[in-house]
Amino acid sequence: RALGGGARRALAEALGPYGPLTVAVYLRRPSAYYLSALQQHFKSSHKVAPPRVPAPLKVLRAYGALFGPKAAHPRVYDRSLLAEGDIAADFLAAYLPGAGLGAADLAPASRTNESLSAESMDILRAYRADFHGERDNVSALDSSQLVRVLARIDGLAEAPRPRLRPEIAEAVDYANPDALALRDQWGLVFPGLDYGRLG
């Protein structure tokens, strides 16, 4: 995530005494990031964010300026590329090899970050507009409870995961050429992205 100036200074001061750091970074394909961020956003707002995402190179450079140019170690977040198809297993394999830990050794995470269906996202957005219209980017207990109920209903109904309309996904994916630099500098390739078109 991008950090403002105050947050950058606070992070540098807090972590400075620990010496050289590795910044573990997972990057989603832009359209996947936008959809995921929109889901998170609806938990505290009803406003639909414009279809754009932060420029990943700008974010990586900010961390490089903070902790050194070689501190950031980005990886692609795509289940087809993750070790064992799992973020915890991939993190351990990529950033803590030889630690003797496996994903099965970790306590199971609560499933609080599950994707909602498109229908549930819209119910949540409408609820926020009706009951918290003036409270933008403010969490509310009732909204969190609604998310849990909707996730449970989605699971029982075997509701499909949401997808962006193709023209919106394309507009987000091809709005910024950073993916070319990510490929050329770090060898990161987002599955399904047309790099010829991006160029």
Side-chain angles (χ1 to χ4, degrees), residues 54-78:
L57 284 182
K58 183 177 178 183
V59 176
L60 289 172
R61 287 184 185 123
Y63 282 100
L66 201 58
F67 299 115
K70 295 185 179 180
H73 291 260
R75 295 178 61 74
V76 171
Y77 181 89
D78 184 288

Side-chain angles (χ1 to χ4, degrees), residues 6-174:
R8 278 199 298 270
R9 284 189 296 277
L11 191 60
E13 288 173 13
L15 298 178
Y18 297 99
L21 298 173
T22 296
V23 181
V25 181
Y26 281 91
L27 298 171
R28 292 180 188 261
R29 181 176 169 155
S31 57
Y33 177 90
Y34 172 70
L35 182 57
S36 176
L38 193 58
Q39 286 227 354
Q40 293 301 315
H41 181 70
F42 282 159
K43 293 176 183 178
S44 61
S45 179
H46 69 280
K47 298 178 180 178
V48 178
R52 60 178 176 257
V53 299
L57 284 182
K58 183 177 178 183
V59 176
L60 289 172
R61 287 184 185 123
Y63 282 100
L66 201 58
F67 299 115
K70 295 185 179 180
H73 291 260
R75 295 178 61 74
V76 171
Y77 181 89
D78 184 288
R79 288 197 190 279
S80 68
L81 300 177
L82 298 176
E84 301 175 36
D86 177 78
I87 187 68
D90 192 85
F91 178 84
L92 292 172
Y95 299 108
L96 296 172
L101 288 173
D105 300 323
L106 305 176
S110 63
R111 309 299 282 187
T112 57
N113 200 20
E114 290 292 323
S115 291
L116 296 175
S117 65
E119 295 79 7
S120 289
M121 285 176 68
D122 193 52
I123 291 169
L124 179 60
R125 182 206 53 74
Y127 180 87
R128 289 290 310 192
D130 288 345
F131 296 100
H132 300 288
E134 301 303 316
R135 300 178 71 204
D136 190 36
N137 286 326
V138 178
S139 297
L141 179 60
D142 58 331
S143 298
S144 299
Q145 291 169 331
L146 178 58
V147 168
R148 287 193 292 274
V149 169
L150 291 171
R152 197 162 49 244
I153 292 169
D154 278 353
L156 292 171
E158 298 181 1
R161 296 171 69 90
R163 292 187 320 270
L164 293 175
R165 290 179 55 92
E167 63 273 19
I168 294 174
E170 286 187 13
V172 174
D173 280 336
Y174 298 101

Side-chain angles (χ1 to χ4, degrees), residues 29-31 169-170 172-181 183 188-199:
R29 181 176 169 155
S31 57
E170 286 187 13
V172 174
D173 280 336
Y174 298 101
N176 184 309
D178 279 10
L180 292 170
R183 180 196 63 186
L188 302 181
V189 175
F190 295 105
L193 200 63
D194 182 347
Y195 283 85
R197 176 180 173 184
L198 192 60

